[in-house]
């Protein structure tokens, strides 16, 4: 195997084995060598991590770095922690992050973290109104009654906490099967 130049590994980086191709023709062999030397760690098959050493030892890879390398496309973390922050009555918790993306669906373990991935459409620029629509679509999974949630949304709109027009656009674009319920509430009162 011929390596063209030194392999430069940035601490904290997560990457696919194929990224080592620029330093040789057999990236899997190079990955094994670097792993034996302790320069990289295997996150899962085909996904590698350059340990970031702290005074407490090797730090795990960041959630952001893991998801970027694994999904190699747009993604967004959503779920109860963000829905609760809207102040619409949700107080749920999930044991692992809910990640919308354009490539994969399922529960995946990356490193020692578990992610619930879903192929779901989401806007390029996130806003609170999109998270409201997302909460509404997932109300049953967090134990919220949709009627109560609609009342809370209408009340928040009357108090000027959210943009009604943007919420209607987000509901039309991302509301799924519940779009008609949300739209009806926004146009004249609770369904």
């Amino acid at each position: 195997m011929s390596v063209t130049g030194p392999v430069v590994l940035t601490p904290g980086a997560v990457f696919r084995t194929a990224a080592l191709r620029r330093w040789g023709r057999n990236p899997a062999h190079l990955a094994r060598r670097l792993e034996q030397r302790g320069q990289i760690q295997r996150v899962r098959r085909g996904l590698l991590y350059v340990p970031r050493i702290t005074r407490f030892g090797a730090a795990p890879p960041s959630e952001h770095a893991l998801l970027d390398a694994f999904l190699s496309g747009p993604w967004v973390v959503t779920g109860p922690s963000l829905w609760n922050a809207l102040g619409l009555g949700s107080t749920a918790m999930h044991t692992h992050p809910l990640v919308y993306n354009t490539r994969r669906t399922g529960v995946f373990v990356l490193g020692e973290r578990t992610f619930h991935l879903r192929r779901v459409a989401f806007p390029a620029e996130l806003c609170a109104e999109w998270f409201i629509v997302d909460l509404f679509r997932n109300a049953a999974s967090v134990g919220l009654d949709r009627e109560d949630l609609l009342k809370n949304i209408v009340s928040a709109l009357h108090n000027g906490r959210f943009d009604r027009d943007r919420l209607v656009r987000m509901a039309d674009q991302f509301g799924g099967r519940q779009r008609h319920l949300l739209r009806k509430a926004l146009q004249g009162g609770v369904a």
Side-chain angles (χ1 to χ4, degrees), residues 55-78:
R55 64 182 179 181
F56 303 109
S62 73
E63 181 178 279
H64 189 271
L66 283 169
L67 291 169
D68 264 353
F70 184 64
L71 295 172
S72 59
W75 54 270
V76 62
V77 175
T78 186

Side-chain angles (χ1 to χ4, degrees), residues 132-149:
I132 292 171
V133 172
D134 189 40
L135 170 60
F136 190 76
R137 289 180 64 205
N138 291 284
S141 72
V142 293
L144 279 178
D145 178 63
R146 280 207 172 92
E147 295 298 319
D148 290 340
L149 180 56

Side-chain angles (χ1 to χ4, degrees), residues 55-175:
R55 64 182 179 181
F56 303 109
S62 73
E63 181 178 279
H64 189 271
L66 283 169
L67 291 169
D68 264 353
F70 184 64
L71 295 172
S72 59
W75 54 270
V76 62
V77 175
T78 186
S81 61
L82 294 158
W83 300 333
N84 296 349
L86 296 169
L88 297 173
S90 173
T91 57
M93 295 301 291
H94 274 184
T95 55
H96 44 78
L98 177 59
V99 182
Y100 293 166
N101 69 93
T102 58
R103 300 186 65 146
R104 299 173 185 255
T105 293
V107 176
F108 294 86
V109 177
L110 304 176
E112 296 178 11
R113 294 187 185 144
T114 303
F115 297 93
H116 186 122
L117 304 181
R118 285 191 198 161
R119 276 181 63 180
V120 175
F122 53 90
E125 290 195 28
L126 301 175
C127 59
E129 291 77 10
W130 177 79
F131 284 104
I132 292 171
V133 172
D134 189 40
L135 170 60
F136 190 76
R137 289 180 64 205
N138 291 284
S141 72
V142 293
L144 279 178
D145 178 63
R146 280 207 172 92
E147 295 298 319
D148 290 340
L149 180 56
L150 283 173
K151 289 175 187 170
N152 293 342
I153 292 170
V154 170
S155 175
L157 286 171
H158 285 301
N159 292 332
R161 290 183 36 218
F162 303 106
D163 182 315
R164 179 181 296 274
D165 294 334
R166 186 180 302 145
L167 185 53
V168 169
R169 281 195 313 274
M170 292 293 119
D172 286 344
Q173 212 171 350
F174 303 102

Side-chain angles (χ1 to χ4, degrees), residues 14-21 27 31 44-49 66-72 103-104:
V14 179
F15 57 93
R16 295 192 169 277
T17 306
L20 296 173
R21 186 160 296 150
R44 66 177 283 148
R45 186 170 185 243
L47 205 58
L48 307 166
Y49 167 64
L66 283 169
L67 291 169
D68 264 353
F70 184 64
L71 295 172
S72 59
R103 300 186 65 146
R104 299 173 185 255

